[in-house]
C-alpha cells in the first residue's frame, strides 16, 4: 500500500534560520509527491509537486523539496524561515486517483 | 490551478438536523471532486470521491446513507450530513483535481453539532 510518513509532529525554528520538514514515502512504481500548507480554519494550499525530472523542486513562497529515491524521502525546505510560515504542513502521495496524506507537521517559526 | 469555493464556512446546529455543504469549482470543469474530513490536530481522511453524473465512491467505513453526495454538474458537488449528531462535528474539506495533478481545496466547513 502507498503511504507517507511525517515523523515530526512539530518543528520549531527561529526566524531567518533554515527549516526542514521531513517526509518519507512508500510507493510501488514512480511516486507522485506533493506538499500542501494549511493555515488555521482554511483548506489546503498547494506548495509544490514532484512527478519526474529534477530532484530539487521549487515551489511557492520560497519553499523547495528534494526528492531522494534511495532514501525514499521528500523533505520540504526553506533557506530562511518567516514567522508567517507558521502553519500545518502536509506531505501527500498520489495513489491512482486519490491523494494520501501524511499526518501533518506543525511548523512554528519564532521571531 | 482550479479555484474552489466551499460554502458555508461554518455551521452550528442542533442534533438531528441535516446539513448541506456545497463545493464549487469556479474555473475548472471537474468530473471528479473529493470530500475529506479532518479531525482536530489530525490529517485529512478521504471520505468519498464524487463523480459527475454517477454515484459517489465511498471509502471503507464511511456510511453512504449518512453522508449523501450529489455531483449533478461539472462545477458543483454537495455533501449532505443527514441527521447529524455531535460525533459528526468536524472540519469538512472538498478538493478538485485531475489525475496526478495537484488538488485544489475549498476553505473547508467547520460543522458543530450541539
Amino acid at each position: 500500500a502507498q503511504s507517507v510518513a511525517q515523523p515530526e509532529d512539530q518543528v520549531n525554528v527561529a526566524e531567518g534560520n533554515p527549516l526542514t520538514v521531513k517526509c518519507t514515502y512508500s510507493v510501488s512504481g514512480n511516486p507522485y509527491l506533493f506538499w500542501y500548507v494549511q493555515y488555521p480554519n482554511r483548506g489546503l494550499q498547494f506548495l509544490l509537486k514532484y512527478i519526474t525530472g529534477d530532484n530539487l523542486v521549487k515551489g511557492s513562497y520560497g519553499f523547495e523539496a528534494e526528492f531522494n529515491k534511495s532514501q525514499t524521502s521528500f523533505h520540504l525546505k526553506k533557506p530562511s524561515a518567516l514567522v508567517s510560515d507558521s502553519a500545518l504542513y502536509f506531505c501527500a502521495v498520489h495513489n491512482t486517483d486519490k491523494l494520501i496524506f501524511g499526518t501533518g507537521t506543525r511548523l512554528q517559526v519564532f521571531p | 490551478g482550479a479555484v474552489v469555493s466551499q460554502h458555508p464556512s461554518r455551521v452550528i446546529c442542533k442534533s438531528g438536523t441535516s446539513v448541506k455543504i456545497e463545493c464549487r469549482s469556479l474555473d475548472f470543469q471537474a468530473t471528479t471532486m473529493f470530500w475529506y474530513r479532518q479531525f482536530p490536530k489530525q490529517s485529512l481522511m478521504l471520505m468519498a470521491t464524487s463523480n459527475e453524473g454517477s454515484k459517489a465512491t465511498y471509502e471503507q467505513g464511511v456510511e453512504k446513507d449518512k453522508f449523501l453526495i450529489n455531483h449533478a454538474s461539472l462545477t458543483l458537488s454537495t455533501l449532505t450530513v443527514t441527521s447529524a449528531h455531535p460525533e459528526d462535528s468536524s472540519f469538512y474539506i472538498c478538493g478538485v483535481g485531475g489525475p496526478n495533478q495537484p488538488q485544489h481545496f475549498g476553505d473547508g466547513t467547520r460543522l458543530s453539532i450541539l
Side-chain angles (χ1 to χ4, degrees):
Chain A
Q2 312 215 62
S3 65
V4 290
Q6 293 181 244
E8 304 155 315
D9 289 337
Q10 179 151 336
V11 170
N12 299 318
V13 64
E15 187 174 33
N17 283 2
L19 69 88
T20 299
V21 183
K22 295 180 181 177
C23 172
T24 59
Y25 64 89
S26 174
V27 302
S28 55
N30 295 322
Y32 298 139
L33 298 160
F34 303 83
W35 274 103
Y36 290 85
V37 59
Q38 185 181 31
Y39 296 98
N41 295 309
R42 300 292 298 275
L44 275 66
Q45 295 179 31
F46 168 72
L47 280 179
L48 49 81
K49 67 178 179 181
Y50 173 82
I51 303 295
T52 186
D54 197 350
N55 288 346
L56 185 62
V57 179
K58 294 188 182 295
S60 306
Y61 312 120
F63 284 93
E64 57 189 29
E66 185 168 12
F67 172 68
N68 188 317
K69 189 172 183 178
S70 63
Q71 297 184 5
T72 62
S73 67
F74 190 56
H75 300 332
L76 181 70
K77 298 182 179 183
K78 187 172 182 180
S80 179
L82 300 172
V83 173
S84 57
D85 292 329
S86 299
L88 191 55
Y89 290 81
F90 290 99
C91 184
V93 63
H94 203 274
N95 176 20
T96 58
D97 58 350
K98 304 174 189 176
L99 273 179
I100 298 174
F101 289 91
T103 50
T105 299
R106 185 163 300 282
L107 174 65
Q108 189 70 48
V109 181
F110 294 95
Chain B
V3 178
V4 181
S5 174
Q6 188 172 339
H7 179 80
S9 58
R10 185 173 180 91
V11 179
I12 302 173
C13 57
K14 294 180 179 179
S15 184
T17 306
S18 292
V19 178
K20 180 185 284 188
I21 303 170
E22 293 186 347
C23 179
R24 293 182 183 274
S25 175
L26 299 182
D27 60 351
F28 178 78
Q29 292 191 321
T31 55
T32 305
M33 293 186 182
F34 304 90
W35 287 98
Y36 298 86
R37 182 173 180 176
Q38 185 179 29
F39 292 99
K41 298 183 180 181
Q42 293 191 29
S43 188
L44 278 72
M45 301 300 297
L46 180 65
M47 298 173 65
T49 302
S50 171
N51 304 300
E52 188 267 335
S54 65
K55 292 182 180 180
T57 306
Y58 289 82
E59 296 299 302
Q60 191 173 7
V62 177
E63 299 177 59
K64 301 178 183 181
D65 295 333
K66 176 69 161 178
F67 299 100
L68 299 179
I69 291 173
N70 183 277
H71 193 156
S73 76
L74 290 171
T75 58
L76 174 64
S77 175
T78 60
L79 168 68
T80 301
V81 184
T82 62
S83 186
H85 291 284
E87 59 267 28
D88 299 322
S89 299
S90 193
F91 194 55
Y92 294 86
I93 304 175
C94 70
V96 173
N100 300 332
Q101 294 300 314
Q103 283 191 21
H104 295 272
F105 296 88
D107 276 343
T109 297
R110 170 86 48 204
L111 177 61
S112 300
I113 308 298
L114 304 177

PDB file of all heavy atoms in Angstrom, chain B residues 13-21 47 58 63-69 78-89 92 111 113:
ATOM      1  N   CYS B  13     -25.505  23.684  14.528  1.00  0.00           N
ATOM      2  CA  CYS B  13     -26.915  23.304  14.519  1.00  0.00           C
ATOM      3  C   CYS B  13     -27.193  22.215  15.549  1.00  0.00           C
ATOM      4  O   CYS B  13     -26.279  21.636  16.130  1.00  0.00           O
ATOM      5  CB  CYS B  13     -27.345  22.841  13.124  1.00  0.00           C
ATOM      6  SG  CYS B  13     -26.383  21.488  12.489  1.00  0.00           S
ATOM      7  N   LYS B  14     -28.472  21.976  15.730  1.00  0.00           N
ATOM      8  CA  LYS B  14     -28.897  21.017  16.734  1.00  0.00           C
ATOM      9  C   LYS B  14     -28.777  19.593  16.223  1.00  0.00           C
ATOM     10  O   LYS B  14     -28.843  19.337  15.011  1.00  0.00           O
ATOM     11  CB  LYS B  14     -30.347  21.287  17.132  1.00  0.00           C
ATOM     12  CG  LYS B  14     -30.561  22.607  17.846  1.00  0.00           C
ATOM     13  CD  LYS B  14     -32.024  22.784  18.201  1.00  0.00           C
ATOM     14  CE  LYS B  14     -32.262  24.092  18.930  1.00  0.00           C
ATOM     15  NZ  LYS B  14     -33.705  24.282  19.272  1.00  0.00           N
ATOM     16  N   SER B  15     -28.630  18.684  17.134  1.00  0.00           N
ATOM     17  CA  SER B  15     -28.572  17.273  16.792  1.00  0.00           C
ATOM     18  C   SER B  15     -29.853  16.862  16.070  1.00  0.00           C
ATOM     19  O   SER B  15     -30.945  17.278  16.447  1.00  0.00           O
ATOM     20  CB  SER B  15     -28.398  16.453  18.077  1.00  0.00           C
ATOM     21  OG  SER B  15     -28.252  15.099  17.782  1.00  0.00           O
ATOM     22  N   GLY B  16     -29.709  16.078  15.022  1.00  0.00           N
ATOM     23  CA  GLY B  16     -30.848  15.616  14.238  1.00  0.00           C
ATOM     24  C   GLY B  16     -31.067  16.417  12.968  1.00  0.00           C
ATOM     25  O   GLY B  16     -31.818  15.997  12.084  1.00  0.00           O
ATOM     26  N   THR B  17     -30.409  17.531  12.860  1.00  0.00           N
ATOM     27  CA  THR B  17     -30.519  18.375  11.669  1.00  0.00           C
ATOM     28  C   THR B  17     -29.699  17.787  10.536  1.00  0.00           C
ATOM     29  O   THR B  17     -28.647  17.186  10.766  1.00  0.00           O
ATOM     30  CB  THR B  17     -30.013  19.793  11.979  1.00  0.00           C
ATOM     31  OG1 THR B  17     -30.708  20.301  13.111  1.00  0.00           O
ATOM     32  CG2 THR B  17     -30.213  20.716  10.796  1.00  0.00           C
ATOM     33  N   SER B  18     -30.171  17.984   9.309  1.00  0.00           N
ATOM     34  CA  SER B  18     -29.369  17.629   8.132  1.00  0.00           C
ATOM     35  C   SER B  18     -28.703  18.889   7.605  1.00  0.00           C
ATOM     36  O   SER B  18     -29.319  19.948   7.548  1.00  0.00           O
ATOM     37  CB  SER B  18     -30.242  16.990   7.060  1.00  0.00           C
ATOM     38  OG  SER B  18     -30.695  15.722   7.491  1.00  0.00           O
ATOM     39  N   VAL B  19     -27.462  18.759   7.231  1.00  0.00           N
ATOM     40  CA  VAL B  19     -26.661  19.907   6.817  1.00  0.00           C
ATOM     41  C   VAL B  19     -26.093  19.653   5.434  1.00  0.00           C
ATOM     42  O   VAL B  19     -25.496  18.604   5.184  1.00  0.00           O
ATOM     43  CB  VAL B  19     -25.491  20.141   7.810  1.00  0.00           C
ATOM     44  CG1 VAL B  19     -24.629  21.300   7.341  1.00  0.00           C
ATOM     45  CG2 VAL B  19     -26.027  20.373   9.212  1.00  0.00           C
ATOM     46  N   LYS B  20     -26.256  20.623   4.552  1.00  0.00           N
ATOM     47  CA  LYS B  20     -25.713  20.504   3.199  1.00  0.00           C
ATOM     48  C   LYS B  20     -24.523  21.427   3.035  1.00  0.00           C
ATOM     49  O   LYS B  20     -24.585  22.615   3.350  1.00  0.00           O
ATOM     50  CB  LYS B  20     -26.779  20.858   2.160  1.00  0.00           C
ATOM     51  CG  LYS B  20     -26.259  20.741   0.715  1.00  0.00           C
ATOM     52  CD  LYS B  20     -27.273  21.209  -0.311  1.00  0.00           C
ATOM     53  CE  LYS B  20     -28.359  20.212  -0.538  1.00  0.00           C
ATOM     54  NZ  LYS B  20     -29.238  20.592  -1.670  1.00  0.00           N
ATOM     55  N   ILE B  21     -23.450  20.879   2.476  1.00  0.00           N
ATOM     56  CA  ILE B  21     -22.236  21.643   2.197  1.00  0.00           C
ATOM     57  C   ILE B  21     -22.014  21.627   0.689  1.00  0.00           C
ATOM     58  O   ILE B  21     -22.076  20.572   0.057  1.00  0.00           O
ATOM     59  CB  ILE B  21     -21.014  21.024   2.907  1.00  0.00           C
ATOM     60  CG1 ILE B  21     -21.268  20.942   4.414  1.00  0.00           C
ATOM     61  CG2 ILE B  21     -19.757  21.832   2.612  1.00  0.00           C
ATOM     62  CD1 ILE B  21     -20.218  20.128   5.154  1.00  0.00           C
ATOM     63  N   MET B  47     -13.156  10.787   2.466  1.00  0.00           N
ATOM     64  CA  MET B  47     -14.435  10.154   2.745  1.00  0.00           C
ATOM     65  C   MET B  47     -14.990   9.499   1.488  1.00  0.00           C
ATOM     66  O   MET B  47     -15.463   8.369   1.524  1.00  0.00           O
ATOM     67  CB  MET B  47     -15.447  11.190   3.239  1.00  0.00           C
ATOM     68  CG  MET B  47     -15.068  11.877   4.518  1.00  0.00           C
ATOM     69  SD  MET B  47     -16.215  13.203   4.894  1.00  0.00           S
ATOM     70  CE  MET B  47     -17.715  12.286   5.159  1.00  0.00           C
ATOM     71  N   TYR B  58     -17.371   5.650  -2.083  1.00  0.00           N
ATOM     72  CA  TYR B  58     -17.106   5.887  -0.671  1.00  0.00           C
ATOM     73  C   TYR B  58     -15.931   5.051  -0.184  1.00  0.00           C
ATOM     74  O   TYR B  58     -15.737   3.916  -0.608  1.00  0.00           O
ATOM     75  CB  TYR B  58     -18.344   5.550   0.163  1.00  0.00           C
ATOM     76  CG  TYR B  58     -19.469   6.542  -0.012  1.00  0.00           C
ATOM     77  CD1 TYR B  58     -20.343   6.457  -1.090  1.00  0.00           C
ATOM     78  CD2 TYR B  58     -19.646   7.581   0.892  1.00  0.00           C
ATOM     79  CE1 TYR B  58     -21.366   7.377  -1.258  1.00  0.00           C
ATOM     80  CE2 TYR B  58     -20.676   8.500   0.742  1.00  0.00           C
ATOM     81  CZ  TYR B  58     -21.524   8.392  -0.342  1.00  0.00           C
ATOM     82  OH  TYR B  58     -22.536   9.309  -0.509  1.00  0.00           O
ATOM     83  N   GLU B  63     -20.290   5.868   6.002  1.00  0.00           N
ATOM     84  CA  GLU B  63     -21.686   5.480   5.791  1.00  0.00           C
ATOM     85  C   GLU B  63     -22.291   6.273   4.636  1.00  0.00           C
ATOM     86  O   GLU B  63     -22.438   7.498   4.699  1.00  0.00           O
ATOM     87  CB  GLU B  63     -22.484   5.753   7.059  1.00  0.00           C
ATOM     88  CG  GLU B  63     -22.016   4.981   8.284  1.00  0.00           C
ATOM     89  CD  GLU B  63     -22.838   5.379   9.503  1.00  0.00           C
ATOM     90  OE1 GLU B  63     -24.078   5.212   9.458  1.00  0.00           O
ATOM     91  OE2 GLU B  63     -22.249   5.866  10.484  1.00  0.00           O
ATOM     92  N   LYS B  64     -22.697   5.553   3.617  1.00  0.00           N
ATOM     93  CA  LYS B  64     -23.278   6.196   2.446  1.00  0.00           C
ATOM     94  C   LYS B  64     -24.579   6.915   2.778  1.00  0.00           C
ATOM     95  O   LYS B  64     -24.875   7.978   2.232  1.00  0.00           O
ATOM     96  CB  LYS B  64     -23.554   5.155   1.365  1.00  0.00           C
ATOM     97  CG  LYS B  64     -22.338   4.406   0.902  1.00  0.00           C
ATOM     98  CD  LYS B  64     -22.700   3.359  -0.139  1.00  0.00           C
ATOM     99  CE  LYS B  64     -21.478   2.573  -0.544  1.00  0.00           C
ATOM    100  NZ  LYS B  64     -21.789   1.549  -1.573  1.00  0.00           N
ATOM    101  N   ASP B  65     -25.364   6.325   3.630  1.00  0.00           N
ATOM    102  CA  ASP B  65     -26.665   6.925   3.944  1.00  0.00           C
ATOM    103  C   ASP B  65     -26.520   8.106   4.890  1.00  0.00           C
ATOM    104  O   ASP B  65     -27.436   8.918   5.009  1.00  0.00           O
ATOM    105  CB  ASP B  65     -27.578   5.872   4.577  1.00  0.00           C
ATOM    106  CG  ASP B  65     -27.905   4.756   3.613  1.00  0.00           C
ATOM    107  OD1 ASP B  65     -27.894   5.017   2.390  1.00  0.00           O
ATOM    108  OD2 ASP B  65     -28.163   3.627   4.071  1.00  0.00           O
ATOM    109  N   LYS B  66     -25.411   8.177   5.540  1.00  0.00           N
ATOM    110  CA  LYS B  66     -25.162   9.273   6.471  1.00  0.00           C
ATOM    111  C   LYS B  66     -24.602  10.496   5.736  1.00  0.00           C
ATOM    112  O   LYS B  66     -24.961  11.619   6.004  1.00  0.00           O
ATOM    113  CB  LYS B  66     -24.133   8.800   7.516  1.00  0.00           C
ATOM    114  CG  LYS B  66     -23.690   9.847   8.515  1.00  0.00           C
ATOM    115  CD  LYS B  66     -24.792  10.185   9.436  1.00  0.00           C
ATOM    116  CE  LYS B  66     -24.315  10.838  10.680  1.00  0.00           C
ATOM    117  NZ  LYS B  66     -25.448  11.213  11.562  1.00  0.00           N
ATOM    118  N   PHE B  67     -23.735  10.225   4.815  1.00  0.00           N
ATOM    119  CA  PHE B  67     -23.055  11.289   4.068  1.00  0.00           C
ATOM    120  C   PHE B  67     -23.445  11.168   2.595  1.00  0.00           C
ATOM    121  O   PHE B  67     -22.822  10.442   1.822  1.00  0.00           O
ATOM    122  CB  PHE B  67     -21.544  11.175   4.246  1.00  0.00           C
ATOM    123  CG  PHE B  67     -21.081  11.308   5.671  1.00  0.00           C
ATOM    124  CD1 PHE B  67     -20.767  10.189   6.418  1.00  0.00           C
ATOM    125  CD2 PHE B  67     -20.987  12.564   6.266  1.00  0.00           C
ATOM    126  CE1 PHE B  67     -20.350  10.315   7.737  1.00  0.00           C
ATOM    127  CE2 PHE B  67     -20.570  12.696   7.579  1.00  0.00           C
ATOM    128  CZ  PHE B  67     -20.247  11.564   8.318  1.00  0.00           C
ATOM    129  N   LEU B  68     -24.492  11.901   2.248  1.00  0.00           N
ATOM    130  CA  LEU B  68     -25.020  11.838   0.885  1.00  0.00           C
ATOM    131  C   LEU B  68     -24.263  12.804  -0.010  1.00  0.00           C
ATOM    132  O   LEU B  68     -24.094  13.973   0.319  1.00  0.00           O
ATOM    133  CB  LEU B  68     -26.512  12.198   0.885  1.00  0.00           C
ATOM    134  CG  LEU B  68     -27.423  11.271   1.703  1.00  0.00           C
ATOM    135  CD1 LEU B  68     -28.866  11.770   1.625  1.00  0.00           C
ATOM    136  CD2 LEU B  68     -27.326   9.844   1.233  1.00  0.00           C
ATOM    137  N   ILE B  69     -23.825  12.294  -1.139  1.00  0.00           N
ATOM    138  CA  ILE B  69     -23.068  13.117  -2.081  1.00  0.00           C
ATOM    139  C   ILE B  69     -23.800  13.170  -3.402  1.00  0.00           C
ATOM    140  O   ILE B  69     -24.239  12.149  -3.933  1.00  0.00           O
ATOM    141  CB  ILE B  69     -21.647  12.558  -2.269  1.00  0.00           C
ATOM    142  CG1 ILE B  69     -20.847  12.758  -0.986  1.00  0.00           C
ATOM    143  CG2 ILE B  69     -20.944  13.217  -3.446  1.00  0.00           C
ATOM    144  CD1 ILE B  69     -19.491  12.103  -0.998  1.00  0.00           C
ATOM    145  N   THR B  78     -22.224  18.397  -3.773  1.00  0.00           N
ATOM    146  CA  THR B  78     -22.739  18.689  -2.443  1.00  0.00           C
ATOM    147  C   THR B  78     -22.593  17.476  -1.539  1.00  0.00           C
ATOM    148  O   THR B  78     -22.715  16.329  -1.993  1.00  0.00           O
ATOM    149  CB  THR B  78     -24.224  19.098  -2.480  1.00  0.00           C
ATOM    150  OG1 THR B  78     -24.992  18.027  -3.041  1.00  0.00           O
ATOM    151  CG2 THR B  78     -24.419  20.349  -3.305  1.00  0.00           C
ATOM    152  N   LEU B  79     -22.300  17.763  -0.296  1.00  0.00           N
ATOM    153  CA  LEU B  79     -22.234  16.738   0.741  1.00  0.00           C
ATOM    154  C   LEU B  79     -23.313  17.065   1.766  1.00  0.00           C
ATOM    155  O   LEU B  79     -23.326  18.174   2.306  1.00  0.00           O
ATOM    156  CB  LEU B  79     -20.861  16.743   1.408  1.00  0.00           C
ATOM    157  CG  LEU B  79     -20.716  15.922   2.695  1.00  0.00           C
ATOM    158  CD1 LEU B  79     -20.835  14.437   2.407  1.00  0.00           C
ATOM    159  CD2 LEU B  79     -19.392  16.217   3.385  1.00  0.00           C
ATOM    160  N   THR B  80     -24.221  16.137   1.989  1.00  0.00           N
ATOM    161  CA  THR B  80     -25.257  16.332   2.988  1.00  0.00           C
ATOM    162  C   THR B  80     -25.021  15.374   4.143  1.00  0.00           C
ATOM    163  O   THR B  80     -24.999  14.146   3.931  1.00  0.00           O
ATOM    164  CB  THR B  80     -26.661  16.104   2.396  1.00  0.00           C
ATOM    165  OG1 THR B  80     -26.871  17.025   1.317  1.00  0.00           O
ATOM    166  CG2 THR B  80     -27.734  16.344   3.451  1.00  0.00           C
ATOM    167  N   VAL B  81     -24.849  15.944   5.311  1.00  0.00           N
ATOM    168  CA  VAL B  81     -24.725  15.138   6.521  1.00  0.00           C
ATOM    169  C   VAL B  81     -26.135  14.983   7.076  1.00  0.00           C
ATOM    170  O   VAL B  81     -26.747  15.958   7.537  1.00  0.00           O
ATOM    171  CB  VAL B  81     -23.807  15.809   7.558  1.00  0.00           C
ATOM    172  CG1 VAL B  81     -23.613  14.918   8.765  1.00  0.00           C
ATOM    173  CG2 VAL B  81     -22.455  16.155   6.925  1.00  0.00           C
ATOM    174  N   THR B  82     -26.654  13.791   6.980  1.00  0.00           N
ATOM    175  CA  THR B  82     -28.054  13.570   7.370  1.00  0.00           C
ATOM    176  C   THR B  82     -28.169  13.264   8.852  1.00  0.00           C
ATOM    177  O   THR B  82     -27.327  12.560   9.424  1.00  0.00           O
ATOM    178  CB  THR B  82     -28.664  12.411   6.560  1.00  0.00           C
ATOM    179  OG1 THR B  82     -27.929  11.219   6.846  1.00  0.00           O
ATOM    180  CG2 THR B  82     -28.593  12.703   5.076  1.00  0.00           C
ATOM    181  N   SER B  83     -29.207  13.830   9.462  1.00  0.00           N
ATOM    182  CA  SER B  83     -29.471  13.600  10.876  1.00  0.00           C
ATOM    183  C   SER B  83     -28.166  13.663  11.685  1.00  0.00           C
ATOM    184  O   SER B  83     -27.750  12.682  12.308  1.00  0.00           O
ATOM    185  CB  SER B  83     -30.163  12.252  11.073  1.00  0.00           C
ATOM    186  OG  SER B  83     -30.555  12.081  12.418  1.00  0.00           O
ATOM    187  N   ALA B  84     -27.569  14.821  11.635  1.00  0.00           N
ATOM    188  CA  ALA B  84     -26.231  14.970  12.227  1.00  0.00           C
ATOM    189  C   ALA B  84     -26.281  14.845  13.747  1.00  0.00           C
ATOM    190  O   ALA B  84     -27.235  15.271  14.397  1.00  0.00           O
ATOM    191  CB  ALA B  84     -25.643  16.314  11.826  1.00  0.00           C
ATOM    192  N   HIS B  85     -25.215  14.268  14.275  1.00  0.00           N
ATOM    193  CA  HIS B  85     -25.069  14.102  15.722  1.00  0.00           C
ATOM    194  C   HIS B  85     -23.721  14.682  16.138  1.00  0.00           C
ATOM    195  O   HIS B  85     -22.855  14.940  15.302  1.00  0.00           O
ATOM    196  CB  HIS B  85     -25.189  12.622  16.094  1.00  0.00           C
ATOM    197  CG  HIS B  85     -26.568  12.088  15.891  1.00  0.00           C
ATOM    198  ND1 HIS B  85     -27.614  12.366  16.750  1.00  0.00           N
ATOM    199  CD2 HIS B  85     -27.088  11.320  14.894  1.00  0.00           C
ATOM    200  CE1 HIS B  85     -28.715  11.780  16.306  1.00  0.00           C
ATOM    201  NE2 HIS B  85     -28.428  11.144  15.189  1.00  0.00           N
ATOM    202  N   PRO B  86     -23.528  14.901  17.432  1.00  0.00           N
ATOM    203  CA  PRO B  86     -22.274  15.534  17.876  1.00  0.00           C
ATOM    204  C   PRO B  86     -21.012  14.862  17.348  1.00  0.00           C
ATOM    205  O   PRO B  86     -20.029  15.541  17.060  1.00  0.00           O
ATOM    206  CB  PRO B  86     -22.373  15.443  19.397  1.00  0.00           C
ATOM    207  CG  PRO B  86     -23.838  15.533  19.668  1.00  0.00           C
ATOM    208  CD  PRO B  86     -24.489  14.763  18.542  1.00  0.00           C
ATOM    209  N   GLU B  87     -21.058  13.562  17.172  1.00  0.00           N
ATOM    210  CA  GLU B  87     -19.857  12.871  16.671  1.00  0.00           C
ATOM    211  C   GLU B  87     -19.549  13.196  15.212  1.00  0.00           C
ATOM    212  O   GLU B  87     -18.467  12.856  14.714  1.00  0.00           O
ATOM    213  CB  GLU B  87     -19.980  11.360  16.850  1.00  0.00           C
ATOM    214  CG  GLU B  87     -21.167  10.734  16.155  1.00  0.00           C
ATOM    215  CD  GLU B  87     -22.381  10.614  17.050  1.00  0.00           C
ATOM    216  OE1 GLU B  87     -22.521  11.427  17.986  1.00  0.00           O
ATOM    217  OE2 GLU B  87     -23.201   9.704  16.790  1.00  0.00           O
ATOM    218  N   ASP B  88     -20.502  13.831  14.543  1.00  0.00           N
ATOM    219  CA  ASP B  88     -20.261  14.252  13.157  1.00  0.00           C
ATOM    220  C   ASP B  88     -19.567  15.607  13.095  1.00  0.00           C
ATOM    221  O   ASP B  88     -19.179  16.066  12.004  1.00  0.00           O
ATOM    222  CB  ASP B  88     -21.575  14.331  12.378  1.00  0.00           C
ATOM    223  CG  ASP B  88     -22.280  12.987  12.299  1.00  0.00           C
ATOM    224  OD1 ASP B  88     -21.580  11.961  12.161  1.00  0.00           O
ATOM    225  OD2 ASP B  88     -23.529  12.963  12.395  1.00  0.00           O
ATOM    226  N   SER B  89     -19.434  16.248  14.234  1.00  0.00           N
ATOM    227  CA  SER B  89     -18.749  17.537  14.272  1.00  0.00           C
ATOM    228  C   SER B  89     -17.317  17.359  13.783  1.00  0.00           C
ATOM    229  O   SER B  89     -16.596  16.483  14.249  1.00  0.00           O
ATOM    230  CB  SER B  89     -18.738  18.094  15.697  1.00  0.00           C
ATOM    231  OG  SER B  89     -20.061  18.307  16.162  1.00  0.00           O
ATOM    232  N   TYR B  92     -14.828  19.735   7.349  1.00  0.00           N
ATOM    233  CA  TYR B  92     -15.012  19.042   6.085  1.00  0.00           C
ATOM    234  C   TYR B  92     -14.420  19.888   4.965  1.00  0.00           C
ATOM    235  O   TYR B  92     -14.688  21.086   4.876  1.00  0.00           O
ATOM    236  CB  TYR B  92     -16.495  18.772   5.814  1.00  0.00           C
ATOM    237  CG  TYR B  92     -17.106  17.808   6.804  1.00  0.00           C
ATOM    238  CD1 TYR B  92     -17.624  18.248   8.020  1.00  0.00           C
ATOM    239  CD2 TYR B  92     -17.150  16.440   6.529  1.00  0.00           C
ATOM    240  CE1 TYR B  92     -18.172  17.362   8.934  1.00  0.00           C
ATOM    241  CE2 TYR B  92     -17.697  15.541   7.445  1.00  0.00           C
ATOM    242  CZ  TYR B  92     -18.198  16.015   8.644  1.00  0.00           C
ATOM    243  OH  TYR B  92     -18.728  15.124   9.555  1.00  0.00           O
ATOM    244  N   LEU B 111     -18.183  22.142  10.981  1.00  0.00           N
ATOM    245  CA  LEU B 111     -19.515  21.708  11.393  1.00  0.00           C
ATOM    246  C   LEU B 111     -19.512  21.398  12.883  1.00  0.00           C
ATOM    247  O   LEU B 111     -18.710  20.579  13.349  1.00  0.00           O
ATOM    248  CB  LEU B 111     -19.926  20.457  10.608  1.00  0.00           C
ATOM    249  CG  LEU B 111     -21.264  19.822  10.968  1.00  0.00           C
ATOM    250  CD1 LEU B 111     -22.411  20.795  10.729  1.00  0.00           C
ATOM    251  CD2 LEU B 111     -21.478  18.534  10.177  1.00  0.00           C
ATOM    252  N   ILE B 113     -22.148  20.260  15.874  1.00  0.00           N
ATOM    253  CA  ILE B 113     -23.476  19.756  16.201  1.00  0.00           C
ATOM    254  C   ILE B 113     -23.639  19.784  17.720  1.00  0.00           C
ATOM    255  O   ILE B 113     -22.850  19.173  18.445  1.00  0.00           O
ATOM    256  CB  ILE B 113     -23.670  18.329  15.670  1.00  0.00           C
ATOM    257  CG1 ILE B 113     -23.311  18.257  14.180  1.00  0.00           C
ATOM    258  CG2 ILE B 113     -25.095  17.856  15.926  1.00  0.00           C
ATOM    259  CD1 ILE B 113     -24.173  19.122  13.297  1.00  0.00           C
TER     260      ILE B 113
END
